[in-house]
Amino acid sequence: MTSRQQGPGHSTGAHDVVRLAVIVGALGVVFGDIGTSPIYTMQTVFNPADPHPVPVSVDNVFGVVSLIFWSVMIIVTVTYILLAMRVDNQGEGGIMALITLLRRWSSGRGGKIAAVLAALGIFGAALFFGDSMITPAISVLSAIEGLKTVNPDLEPAIIPVTAVIIVALFMVQRRGTAAVGRVFGPVMIAWFLVIAVFGIAGITHHPDILKALSPTYALSFLSQHFGIAFFALAAIVLSVTGAEALYADMGHFGRMAITYGWLGLVLPACVLSYLGQGALILEDNANISSPFFLLAPGWARLPLVVLATAATVIASQAVITGAYSVASQAAQLGYLPRLRIAHTSESTMGQIYVPWINWLLMVSVLTLVFAFQTSAALAYAFGMAVTGTITITTLLFFYVARLKWGTPWWLLGTGAALLLGVDLLFVAANLTKLVHGAWLPLLIGLTAFTIMTTWQKGRQVVTAERERTEGTLPEFVEQLRESRATTATVPGTAIFLNRGKQTAPLALRANLEHNHVRHEHVVIMSLETDTVPYVPAEERVTVDDLGYADDGITHVTARFGYMDTPDVPAALRTLDPAATEGPLDLDNARYFLSKIELRRGPEPTMADWLKRLFIATSYITADAAAHFGLPRDRTIIMGSHIDV
């Protein structure tokens, strides 16, 4: 149950139970990525194999721990929890929600700026796909690397065990997370309590580490040892990986549940772990090899590896389903082809499975594991994806804040300068790792961005050509009335899916021209995707008689949100027979689809290589009948071709 399902009629006790259940659910889904960051952050900062190593000294340890703490406070607590999560699109958050808000406002004041920022937001969403590939690889790999602290002889098994777990993880995605989701929350609660306890145990050996909570240590480290601190930021940013997930999953759990979970358990547990690891390194510099696992006594390390593996699998699960959601929303908004989507839960709309994305991610994750071999090597790539997405989200938030609340420019500028200054410092630090792996998420992001923008441009070209070929709908309706003498009317209902209300469906035109027949009831149906997550059922359909109330031809517009599942038969069953010029025989209705074959044409609509990319991308388009919920045995597809 999500926070949006809580009604005002709940008693105080029941309300508290529901709220607690939502918080537990959020702990199991939202915080997996950021909650497992302590496994590899400190280890990566002091990795002696780093091209810009941070020397182990008392000042540097205090400075690093202080920088980690204040980075988490500024980026996660301030930017996301206190600010960004106050902006939502009907309850939904994340960078895609910001993009839809910007698209909605792009035609008004500041339209050009909004359009540019929306394009930047699409690049941020593209970077998220890189994050979705890197997170499972680095998370599971870092957990299995704990085997070295149990027995060094187990090191050769790390890569094979990691690969097996990753394959198993992706193989079970099609079954959905409903069954295992119920145990995610308790597992993550156990995880946070355990890392907090081990952190406290570490602090007791060197209590002075608590002084690192003062910002003076972070500031002095940056000012007095900038050459070291700047390069250290490329690894310190790993402490905020998963911050975007807090915002993206806001629609499922609500802002307050995520806020309570973060401030009440996740933040204190992570901070205690970082402090404990810092104290452990101060006690013995050799502990930099694996400070997280070495915090645990010898007898507890193997159980900790098992628990860490479970936690990182949960973290991976969250980012994988996040990729499904982003891909689904991008397809609904016209940035990707229509994808085959399976809903894995009858009660939870957000639980979806996208096969094409799943297998692409699995191959990519395995490739990263075998190519990079260690979590430390992957960390260089991870930071770039994280900082890019965070910076773009911050920028979009301040623009939206100005439009939504009319925040004064001086206040907006001050806040933006401070937060973007921090974000850009992290971006600059990660750019120093460009040749060491930071190029990877940029390459993935640019590739995904190119595909998404090319598809959007190609759709515009195809739509314009279709409108020219199809002709206007009013003229076609007049033609139908004039051709009554030469056109046979057959009993039954025919539904023609069309892209809009302005043009005549190609399938309807072809049926009339070649077969010289029309059905007694003809429904021309257009589907619109609104820039909101969900459209209420009572606002789903509108009917237009197209100027005549006696010809049996009506136009129906069905509106869906970008998180809705388009179901054409279900939408049609809500129609009033009086509005459709008589009852529709939906149990025996025939559905007509226009199938378009794309060909490269001579017109300079796009560069030749972009035309090839657009046509190649079209091959992954899902079957329209399945996507729109049409009965396959009563669906007729009529083909045509269009030059791009």
Side-chain angles (χ1 to χ4, degrees):
M1 175 177 269
T2 68
S3 58
R4 290 180 295 179
Q5 293 171 295
Q6 297 170 16
H10 286 286
S11 65
T12 304
H15 183 74
D16 290 341
V17 171
V18 171
R19 177 175 294 173
L20 179 60
V22 175
I23 294 172
V24 172
L27 288 169
V29 175
V30 177
F31 299 106
D33 193 357
I34 198 166
T36 54
S37 296
I39 299 176
Y40 45 79
T41 300
M42 289 286 286
Q43 175 183 329
T44 304
V45 171
F46 292 105
N47 179 17
D50 191 292
H52 306 98
V54 177
V56 182
S57 68
V58 173
D59 288 345
N60 289 352
V61 171
F62 272 83
V64 164
V65 173
S66 187
L67 269 180
I68 289 175
F69 173 71
W70 286 103
S71 297
V72 170
M73 292 300 294
I74 292 171
I75 293 176
V76 183
T77 306
V78 176
T79 300
Y80 279 93
I81 298 292
L82 297 182
L83 296 178
M85 289 178 64
R86 294 182 181 275
V87 175
D88 65 88
N89 185 18
Q90 292 194 2
E92 294 292 332
I95 199 166
M96 289 302 295
L98 290 175
I99 292 169
T100 53
L101 291 173
L102 286 167
R103 282 182 46 155
R104 187 182 304 164
W105 291 322
S106 61
S107 59
R109 184 181 58 181
K112 290 183 178 179
I113 297 176
V116 171
L117 290 176
L120 190 62
I122 291 298
F123 181 68
L127 281 176
F128 182 78
F129 286 115
D131 190 2
S132 303
M133 296 174 186
I134 300 171
T135 295
I138 191 173
S139 298
V140 178
L141 196 54
S142 65
I144 304 303
E145 283 173 345
L147 290 173
K148 292 187 295 184
T149 64
V150 177
N151 187 341
D153 294 336
L154 294 175
E155 185 169 356
I158 291 174
I159 299 298
V161 171
T162 300
V164 168
I165 291 173
I166 287 171
V167 170
L169 175 64
F170 282 98
M171 291 295 288
V172 301
Q173 290 301 311
R174 58 190 176 89
R175 299 182 181 275
T177 59
V180 293
R182 287 190 291 270
V183 303
F184 280 7
V187 169
M188 291 308 296
I189 290 174
W191 167 257
F192 290 122
L193 291 176
V194 167
I195 68 172
V197 168
F198 287 148
I200 293 171
I203 293 170
T204 59
H205 294 288
H206 209 296
D208 283 353
I209 194 66
L210 292 172
K211 295 178 182 178
L213 296 177
S214 169
T216 57
Y217 285 90
L219 293 173
S220 63
F221 185 46
L222 280 170
S223 60
Q224 298 175 19
H225 307 281
F226 185 77
I228 297 174
F230 176 72
F231 291 114
L233 289 175
I236 289 172
V237 74
L238 298 177
S239 62
V240 299
T241 58
E244 179 67 20
L246 275 65
Y247 190 21
D249 283 320
M250 186 173 69
H252 297 292
F253 300 100
R255 182 170 67 91
M256 295 311 297
I258 293 174
T259 301
Y260 291 151
W262 171 251
L263 297 177
L265 180 60
V266 181
L267 175 62
C270 290
V271 169
L272 287 171
S273 180
Y274 288 125
L275 289 168
Q277 291 180 56
L280 191 70
I281 293 172
L282 289 174
E283 186 178 6
D284 186 350
N285 292 357
N287 289 326
I288 61 171
S289 61
S290 187
F292 176 81
F293 288 103
L294 292 175
L295 269 177
W299 61 266
R301 285 174 194 164
L302 184 57
L304 182 59
V305 170
V306 173
L307 181 60
T309 302
T312 53
V313 165
I314 292 171
S316 302
Q317 176 69 53
V319 80
I320 291 168
T321 53
Y324 297 158
S325 180
V326 170
S328 173
Q329 293 175 45
Q332 291 280 56
L333 294 173
Y335 289 105
L336 284 176
R338 184 176 60 245
L339 299 171
R340 185 166 75 86
I341 297 173
H343 287 259
T344 59
S345 172
E346 295 181 358
S347 59
T348 306
M349 286 292 299
Q351 291 186 11
I352 60 175
Y353 169 64
V354 186
W356 198 88
I357 297 295
N358 186 73
W359 303 124
L360 175 65
L361 287 180
M362 187 184 80
V363 172
S364 302
V365 172
L366 288 174
T367 301
L368 291 176
V369 169
F370 288 113
F372 284 83
Q373 299 283 313
T374 67
S375 60
L378 267 170
Y380 307 141
F382 202 16
M384 195 71 250
V386 173
T387 54
T389 303
I390 289 173
T391 303
I392 292 171
T393 298
T394 305
L395 183 62
L396 297 184
F397 162 76
F398 278 106
Y399 186 79
V400 171
R402 172 64 182 175
L403 294 178
K404 183 174 183 179
W405 299 311
T407 308
W409 279 114
W410 66 268
L411 181 59
L412 199 70
T414 302
L418 291 174
L419 295 181
L420 285 173
V422 173
D423 294 344
L424 291 173
L425 191 61
F426 277 111
V427 170
N430 276 275
L431 286 175
T432 65
K433 310 294 186 183
L434 205 58
V435 298
H436 304 287
W439 57 269
L440 179 64
L442 291 179
L443 177 62
I444 295 171
L446 286 171
T447 301
F449 177 77
T450 302
I451 292 172
M452 293 165 77
T453 53
T454 300
W455 184 259
Q456 183 196 36
K457 173 63 177 175
R459 282 183 75 251
Q460 293 173 351
V461 172
V462 169
T463 299
E465 182 61 21
R466 283 190 65 165
E467 290 175 353
R468 188 189 67 79
T469 304
E470 292 170 341
T472 67
L473 184 56
E475 290 178 356
F476 187 72
V477 171
E478 292 295 337
Q479 180 184 344
L480 272 175
R481 292 181 65 84
E482 294 171 1
S483 63
R484 281 180 173 178
T486 58
T487 302
T489 300
V490 297
T493 299
I495 294 109
F496 295 85
L497 267 64
N498 200 33
R499 287 184 174 269
K501 191 177 179 180
Q502 288 71 39
T503 62
L506 286 175
L508 177 57
R509 184 180 291 277
N511 196 39
L512 182 69
E513 292 177 354
H514 298 297
N515 300 324
H516 304 290
V517 297
R518 54 152 290 184
H519 287 75
E520 180 184 5
H521 290 287
V522 174
V523 176
I524 301 169
M525 189 166 187
S526 302
L527 277 66
E528 296 181 358
T529 301
D530 288 0
T531 54
V532 296
Y534 304 100
V535 172
E538 61 272 15
E539 301 175 14
R540 178 79 67 207
V541 295
T542 55
V543 182
D544 185 351
D545 63 10
L546 299 175
Y548 301 98
D550 60 349
D551 61 357
I553 304 173
T554 54
H555 183 277
V556 175
T557 301
R559 296 170 53 240
F560 296 93
Y562 61 81
M563 295 289 284
D564 281 323
T565 301
D567 190 329
V568 169
L572 289 171
R573 293 187 189 281
T574 65
L575 293 173
D576 181 357
T580 57
E581 303 176 23
L584 303 178
D585 183 9
L586 296 178
D587 291 333
N588 299 295
R590 297 292 185 268
Y591 295 85
F592 290 82
L593 297 173
S594 302
K595 181 176 176 60
I596 304 299
E597 178 187 349
L598 301 175
R599 303 186 306 192
R600 282 186 299 123
E603 296 298 323
T605 53
M606 292 188 292
D608 191 62
W609 71 274
L610 289 177
K611 291 182 180 181
R612 293 176 184 272
L613 176 62
F614 176 70
I615 294 172
T617 306
S618 70
Y619 292 135
I620 68 173
T621 303
D623 176 64
H627 181 76
F628 296 123
L630 307 183
R632 192 170 296 276
D633 59 334
R634 290 187 281 119
T635 299
I636 301 162
I637 299 175
M638 307 186 75
S640 182
H641 72 266
I642 285 182
D643 291 336
V644 179

